[in-house]
């Protein structure tokens, strides 16, 4: 966009200009960070007035800044400086409101001073939000400039996980066998999820180590059930027994090796097999992304063949539906977006896509091969001429192998500041697979994902 200012000599009484903008929740968090005004009334995650509602009311000076944008960009435009500004608020704007800021020249004074009428109205109904008067020093020289490209801001806020937690809290706490929670992070995640009423933990492991971990994190065990088992493999087998006996509806990994837990889950007698391969899914909350992003398989299947990828894809679709994605869009990744015989992942992707078209994979839209850029960026897909309901909009990313999935998930975590919830699917119950590096939000989200999926599985069964 090209902007042209109006220097003092060209301004006429009655000149007007306006700009329109939609207010978002993220705008108010950015404003709080920049201004230091942390009034909870303005933040969508807080109840700022005790009425049990999170209002997300637009900060007054945020609304006022919309007026300054018109003055600085359009009329008088580049080179304008404030002398004074008055505000009278008739009502308050909320997140989601589309606001129009308007200015009008009322008077020209000496020394390039100009008196401006300033108002902000809500576009949907014309309601007056704020009115006032501004006195500015208009620019002396005529200038033109293209819209200046300022650095973009990505808010490090994990609203998708917040939404998952909100969805899981009304459910009855899911009885969860927690295997060897003998280390502070492992135990803390289970106790925090219990406090949020997401799970009802059954702790299986060394009671002395569990008690020591509880003291270290200063979280009371209370009446939490503890089943004393000092050997990790025995603890994993006992947890699977609880599922087989109907006493637990989920498993949660504590301070033991993943293969010990999965070995118990995969045992022939009273194990958790149910016809599909066990596959792992990361549910990732990437700041700036409009929806959660599922990455699979990044932890269990090292070099999956086509048959395994069918289960990987179907399990991920089922989980996506469980967390509220109605018709999941699945992008099957490769290094290229065309079928290339020398690249096996491109052939597998095309076959998975065709199998979904014919109903062999159900519940979602599957397309591939897609390179990473055109799986998640509509602009990249358009540039390459890819016409697809999935391209640029993928909810699920099916990776070629564990190397690629693990790298992708960790890049999103450590470079894009994502949070990752890890769950193993394909078993009779979901298995929460946390990493030692996971923080409290990730551990809570993993439990929420497991609870939502277990609830849907039980309804389906």
């Amino acid at each position: 966009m090209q902007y042209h200012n109006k220097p003092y000599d060209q301004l006429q009484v009655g000149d007007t200009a306006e700009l329109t903008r939609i207010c978002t929740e993220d705008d108010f968090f950015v404003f709080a960070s920049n201004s230091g005004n942390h009034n909870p009334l303005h933040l969508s995650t807080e109840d700022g007035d005790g009425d049990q509602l999170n209002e997300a009311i637009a900060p007054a000076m945020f609304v006022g800044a919309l007026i300054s944008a018109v003055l600085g960009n359009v009329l008088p435009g580049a080179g304008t400086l404030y002398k004074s500004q008055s505000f009278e608020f008739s009502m308050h704007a909320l997140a989601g409101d589309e606001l129009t800021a308007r200015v009008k020249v009322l008077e020209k004074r000496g020394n390039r001073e100009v008196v401006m009428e300033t108002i902000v109205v809500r576009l949907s109904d014309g309601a007056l939000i704020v009115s006032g008067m501004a006195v500015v020093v208009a620019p002396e020289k005529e200038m033109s400039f293209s819209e200046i490209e300022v650095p973009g801001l990505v808010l490090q806020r994990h609203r998708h996980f917040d939404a998952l937690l909100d969805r899981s809290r009304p459910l009855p706490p899911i009885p969860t066998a927690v295997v060897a929670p003998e280390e502070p992070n492992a135990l803390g995640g289970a106790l925090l999820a219990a406090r949020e009423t997401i799970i009802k933990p059954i702790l299986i492991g060394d009671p002395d180590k569990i008690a020591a971990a509880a003291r270290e994190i200063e979280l009371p065990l209370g009446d939490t059930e503890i089943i004393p088992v000092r050997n990790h493999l025995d603890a994993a087998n006992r947890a699977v027994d609880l599922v087989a006996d109907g006493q637990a509806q989920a498993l949660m990994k504590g301070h033991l090796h993943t293969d010990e837990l999965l070995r118990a889950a995969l045992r022939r007698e009273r194990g958790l097999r149910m016809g599909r391969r066990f596959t792992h899914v990361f549910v990732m909350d990437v700041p700036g992304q409009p929806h959660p992003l599922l990455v699979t398989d990044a932890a269990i299947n090292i070099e999956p063949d086509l048959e395994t990828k069918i289960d990987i894809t179907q399990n991920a679709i089922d989980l996506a539906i469980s967390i509220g994605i109605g018709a999941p869009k699945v992008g099957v990744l490769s290094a290229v977006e065309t079928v290339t015989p020398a690249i096996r992942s491109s052939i597998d992707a095309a076959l998975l896509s065709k199998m979904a078209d014919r109903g062999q994979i159900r519940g979602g839209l599957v397309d591939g091969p897609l390179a990473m850029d055109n799986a998640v960026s509509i602009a990249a897909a358009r540039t390459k001429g890819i016409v697809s309901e999935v391209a640029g909009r993928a909810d699920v990313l099916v990776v070629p192998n564990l190397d690629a999935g693990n790298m992708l998930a960790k890049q999103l975590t450590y470079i894009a500041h994502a949070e990752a919830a890890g769950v193993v699917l394909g078993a009779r119950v979901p298995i929460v697979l946390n990493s030692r590096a996971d923080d409290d939000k990730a551990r809570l989200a993993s439990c929420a994902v497991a609870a939502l999926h277990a609830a849907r599985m039980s309804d389906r069964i």
Side-chain angles (χ1 to χ4, degrees):
M1 176 179 267
Q2 195 77 12
Y3 288 112
H4 305 275
N5 73 347
K6 268 198 172 184
Y8 180 81
D9 291 343
Q10 295 181 19
L11 287 171
Q12 301 291 326
V13 172
D15 285 348
T16 63
E18 66 180 42
L19 289 174
T20 298
R21 173 176 179 152
I22 297 176
C23 300
T24 70
E25 295 177 7
D26 285 357
D27 286 333
F28 303 164
F29 280 101
V30 171
F31 184 84
S33 177
N34 288 342
S35 68
N37 176 7
H38 296 171
N39 181 350
L41 270 173
H42 306 314
L43 305 179
S44 60
T45 56
E46 307 297 329
D47 174 15
D49 56 5
D51 66 354
Q52 309 304 311
L53 297 173
N54 300 355
E55 286 84 0
I57 296 172
M61 290 300 101
F62 172 86
V63 177
L66 302 182
I67 293 170
S68 72
V70 185
L71 295 172
N73 289 336
V74 187
L75 190 72
T80 301
L81 292 173
Y82 257 128
K83 288 206 72 176
S84 66
Q85 172 76 63
S86 65
F87 293 124
E88 182 173 340
F89 286 86
S90 302
M91 62 188 305
H92 295 285
L94 302 174
D97 285 346
E98 190 169 8
L99 303 182
T100 296
R102 298 189 181 111
V103 303
K104 180 179 181 180
V105 177
L106 296 182
E107 179 186 353
K108 294 177 68 175
R109 299 175 177 172
N111 297 322
R112 306 203 323 269
E113 288 187 8
V114 182
V115 180
M116 315 281 289
E117 178 187 57
T118 59
I119 65 169
V120 177
V121 299
R122 188 167 57 214
L123 193 61
S124 61
D125 58 4
L128 180 66
I129 304 297
V130 62
S131 58
M133 304 282 284
V135 178
V136 301
V137 178
E140 184 177 6
K141 298 178 180 179
E142 187 173 359
M143 297 172 58
S144 297
F145 66 97
S146 298
E147 188 170 14
I148 296 173
E149 192 170 320
V150 298
L153 297 176
V154 176
L155 192 65
Q156 290 188 35
R157 174 180 167 229
H158 298 100
R159 57 193 174 99
H160 303 309
F161 277 6
D162 291 338
L164 287 177
L165 292 171
D166 288 342
R167 287 191 64 202
S168 65
R169 287 187 183 104
L171 298 172
I174 178 173
T176 302
V178 187
V179 185
E182 301 162 351
E183 179 268 340
N185 284 339
L187 178 62
L191 295 181
L192 287 172
R195 190 170 67 186
E196 295 283 344
T197 70
I198 298 170
I199 70 171
K200 180 181 179 183
I202 305 167
L203 308 181
I204 307 167
D206 187 320
D208 296 332
K209 293 179 179 178
I210 293 172
R215 287 193 298 271
E216 186 171 340
I217 58 179
E218 298 181 346
L219 286 177
L221 290 169
D223 59 356
T224 304
E225 182 179 358
I226 300 175
I227 298 177
V229 180
R230 299 186 185 276
N231 176 278
H232 284 176
L233 185 55
D234 290 344
N237 280 313
R238 184 63 184 275
V240 173
D241 286 340
L242 292 178
V243 174
D245 294 337
Q247 298 177 51
Q249 297 172 22
L251 294 182
M252 184 174 181
K253 176 180 176 287
H255 191 56
L256 79 165
H257 293 296
T258 300
D259 59 352
E260 291 180 298
L261 179 59
L262 295 183
R263 193 180 310 143
L266 288 166
R267 68 192 189 189
R268 291 187 180 277
E269 299 297 327
R270 287 163 55 83
L272 303 184
R273 297 173 188 264
M274 55 176 296
R276 286 191 202 157
R277 287 164 179 77
F278 284 17
T279 69
H280 180 270
V281 179
F282 273 125
V283 179
M284 310 207 71
D285 188 338
V286 186
Q289 280 292 109
H291 53 77
L293 201 58
L294 280 64
V295 177
T296 186
D297 181 332
I300 294 181
N301 293 284
I302 299 172
E303 287 288 347
D305 57 15
L306 178 63
E307 192 172 0
T308 303
K309 287 181 180 179
I310 295 170
D311 287 349
I312 288 172
T313 304
Q314 188 65 66
N315 284 342
I317 289 172
D318 290 347
L319 182 65
I321 294 170
S322 294
I323 65 173
I325 301 173
K329 300 177 179 66
V330 181
V332 188
L333 298 185
S334 182
V336 294
E337 58 277 344
T338 55
V339 178
T340 304
I343 302 177
R344 193 193 107 194
S345 61
S346 73
I347 298 173
D348 286 351
L351 291 170
L352 290 169
S353 178
K354 179 55 68 176
M355 293 174 77
D357 290 344
R358 296 188 173 183
Q360 293 171 267
I361 298 172
R362 299 176 301 279
L365 301 171
V366 181
D367 193 15
L370 293 172
M372 180 66 186
D373 57 347
N374 46 61
V376 297
S377 167
I378 293 175
R382 286 174 178 165
T383 297
K384 295 189 176 181
I386 300 172
V387 179
S388 161
E389 293 183 74
V390 175
R393 306 175 179 86
D395 303 299
V396 179
L397 300 175
V398 176
V399 298
N401 54 34
L402 185 145
D403 279 342
N406 195 272
M407 290 176 193
L408 174 57
K410 287 180 178 175
Q411 286 166 352
L412 292 173
T413 300
Y414 290 99
I415 297 176
H417 308 289
E419 290 275 15
V423 182
V424 174
L425 305 171
R428 285 174 53 193
V429 299
I431 302 172
V432 176
L433 208 60
N434 287 316
S435 164
R436 285 172 293 178
D438 287 345
D439 62 12
D440 289 346
K441 176 63 75 68
R443 291 173 185 275
L444 283 174
S446 295
C447 291
V449 168
L452 291 167
H453 191 56
R456 180 169 169 267
M457 288 175 68
S458 62
D459 288 344
R460 186 171 57 194
I461 293 169

